[in-house]
Amino acid sequence: MPADEQQVAAQWDQWLAQQHLSGPNAKPDSANPVQMDHFTWYQTHGWTQPYPGENKIYAPADVPGAYIPSSDSDG
């Protein structure tokens, strides 16, 4: 992992820890799909390539489209 992306990767680790992806509290489709796509891309590409169509690697809170309300929220 490039040194300049370690802080962003740490933010993604914190985001991942807050998701309910497995275990007794797992919730199917609870993670924001846009964030999950970005996380998977970054991790797969060793934190060296921006998501397709973007020019940088974003932190979870900065991912374009990350805060589109889900069906579980009030808006």
Side-chain angles (χ1 to χ4, degrees):
M1 173 184 316
D4 59 337
E5 297 300 344
Q6 289 180 355
Q7 183 179 12
V8 172
Q11 290 178 46
W12 279 102
D13 285 342
Q14 291 174 346
W15 174 84
L16 187 62
Q18 295 173 5
Q19 305 307 307
H20 302 285
L21 304 177
S22 64
N25 297 321
K27 294 181 190 174
D29 301 326
S30 64
N32 178 293
V34 175
Q35 287 174 311
M36 184 59 78
D37 288 347
H38 279 70
F39 173 74
T40 302
W41 176 269
Y42 298 151
Q43 191 175 45
T44 301
H45 290 87
W47 302 92
T48 60
Q49 294 182 23
Y51 192 78
E54 298 175 354
N55 60 4
K56 71 177 206 169
I57 295 175
Y58 288 101
D62 300 327
V63 169
Y67 289 100
I68 297 171
S70 73
S71 60
D72 293 339
S73 71
D74 289 336

